[in-house]
């Protein structure tokens, strides 16, 4: 039971950190989290340790625990890994891609337009994730997607911050649309180029975000 409770607390806290409900540098305590979730301190303590090992919490004995600042070296390494794998997979998608998966991408684009009109950055993030996951799924490379998720959390924090800080998402949407068109018309070179440009947006964003939110970064 403790394991199940620990997992629930861990995933909830990780989600709060990613979704910026817990901002970088925010102090949290075992006591307040145990009260918030209505659980004992043991699963909270275990969750803190796991999140600390992933670089999302900094635990200072006798002083307290804070949500870690964003480490741009980890962000850049995650972007590098993702770029290599995503370019390879979208190239495969251009060779062969199921019609139902292509329809899922089209449907996702329609929902992205809704999130843009509503300026719902959390919805846009989830749709962005689902869009890329669908490409991997259509290529039967979900294990590769799972590998990306292991390093992706630090990159995702900057992506979420960018979406929250700037609601001009037209460029993101247009690049997604170009990817779908390239897959549909078997244009691997175009697809890889767009994916490369798409993932390099985070490099440009980092400079802007660091200037706008200097206290959020190491």
């Amino acid at each position: 039971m403790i394991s199940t409770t620990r997992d629930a607390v861990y995933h909830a806290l990780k989600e709060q950190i990613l979704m910026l409900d817990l901002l970088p540098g925010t102090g949290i305590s075992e006591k307040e989290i145990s009260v918030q979730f209505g659980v004992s301190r043991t699963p909270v303590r275990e969750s803190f340790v796991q999140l600390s090992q992933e670089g999302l919490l900094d635990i200072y004995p006798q002083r307290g625990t804070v949500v870690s600042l964003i480490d741009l070296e980890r962000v850049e390494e995650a972007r590098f890994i993702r770029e290599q794998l995503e370019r390879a997979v979208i190239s495969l998608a251009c060779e062969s891609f199921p019609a139902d998966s292509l329809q899922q991408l089209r449907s996702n684009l329609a929902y992205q337009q809704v999130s843009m009109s509503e300026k719902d950055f959390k919805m846009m993030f989830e749709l962005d994730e689902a869009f890329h996951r669908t490409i991997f799924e259509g290529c039967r490379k979900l294990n590769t997607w799972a590998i990306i998720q292991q390093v992706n959390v630090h990159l995702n924090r900057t992506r979420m911050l960018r979406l929250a800080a700037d609601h001009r998402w037209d460029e993101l949407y247009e690049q997604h649309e170009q990817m779908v068109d390239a897959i549909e018309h078997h244009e691997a070179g175009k697809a890889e180029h767009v994916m490369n440009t798409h993932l390099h947006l985070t490099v440009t964003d980092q400079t802007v975000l660091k200037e706008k939110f200097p206290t959020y970064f190491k």
Side-chain angles (χ1 to χ4, degrees):
M1 183 65 183
I2 287 179
S3 176
T4 303
T5 303
R6 180 200 64 207
D7 291 344
V9 173
Y10 160 77
H11 287 295
L13 286 175
K14 188 171 184 177
E15 184 83 352
Q16 288 181 23
I17 293 170
L18 173 60
M19 294 295 179
L20 305 179
D21 296 322
L22 287 173
L23 292 170
T26 301
I28 60 175
S29 71
E30 290 180 10
K31 181 179 180 181
E32 69 181 70
I33 297 300
S34 64
V35 170
Q36 178 184 335
F37 289 100
V39 299
S40 69
R41 288 199 182 190
T42 300
V44 174
R45 186 177 305 115
E46 292 172 347
S47 298
F48 277 19
V49 170
Q50 189 170 353
L51 290 166
S52 174
Q53 290 170 346
E54 294 179 18
L56 294 176
L57 289 181
D58 292 326
I59 301 174
Y60 301 102
Q62 314 306 321
R63 290 166 52 197
T65 299
V66 298
V67 178
S68 68
L69 300 181
I70 297 171
D71 185 339
L72 289 179
E73 284 192 13
R74 288 195 178 201
V75 171
E76 172 54 25
E77 188 168 7
R79 185 209 59 77
F80 175 80
I81 293 169
R82 183 164 181 171
E83 178 188 331
Q84 307 312 309
L85 295 175
E86 291 235 28
R87 286 176 59 187
V89 169
I90 201 168
S91 181
L92 288 176
C94 290
E95 295 176 13
S96 176
F97 200 69
D100 61 335
S101 295
L102 191 64
Q103 182 53 45
Q104 285 181 48
L105 292 179
R106 293 284 185 198
S107 177
N108 185 290
L109 287 174
Y111 282 112
Q112 285 184 41
Q113 288 186 320
V114 173
S115 72
M116 290 165 67
S117 66
E118 296 180 355
K119 295 181 170 54
D120 187 335
F121 71 92
K122 293 183 179 180
M123 177 182 179
M124 186 63 173
F125 176 84
E126 295 295 344
L127 288 168
D128 191 352
E129 282 290 278
F131 180 91
H132 288 267
R133 185 185 186 279
T134 298
I135 297 175
F136 280 76
E137 186 175 23
C139 295
R140 302 178 70 178
K141 293 289 183 288
L142 281 181
N143 284 333
T144 308
W145 177 254
I147 290 170
I148 288 176
Q149 297 314 299
Q150 292 174 17
V151 298
N152 218 21
V153 64
H154 299 282
L155 175 60
N156 285 349
R157 293 173 80 190
T158 61
R159 289 171 59 212
M160 183 65 76
L161 189 59
R162 189 269 188 194
L163 292 172
D166 184 354
H167 291 155
R168 293 172 296 177
W169 306 331
D170 291 3
E171 188 173 15
L172 293 173
Y173 174 82
E174 288 166 5
Q175 288 172 348
H176 285 156
E177 193 172 41
Q178 290 169 15
M179 289 178 205
V180 175
D181 288 340
I183 291 171
E184 186 173 17
H185 295 104
H186 310 290
E187 297 174 323
K190 176 184 174 182
E192 286 192 51
H193 174 72
V194 175
M195 182 66 79
N196 184 63
T197 303
H198 183 67
L199 293 174
H200 267 80
L201 283 178
T202 59
V203 178
T204 305
D205 292 340
Q206 286 171 22
T207 302
V208 176
L209 292 174
K210 197 168 183 180
E211 289 178 357
K212 194 167 186 177
F213 305 103
T215 61
Y216 291 176
F217 295 87
K218 287 186 177 180

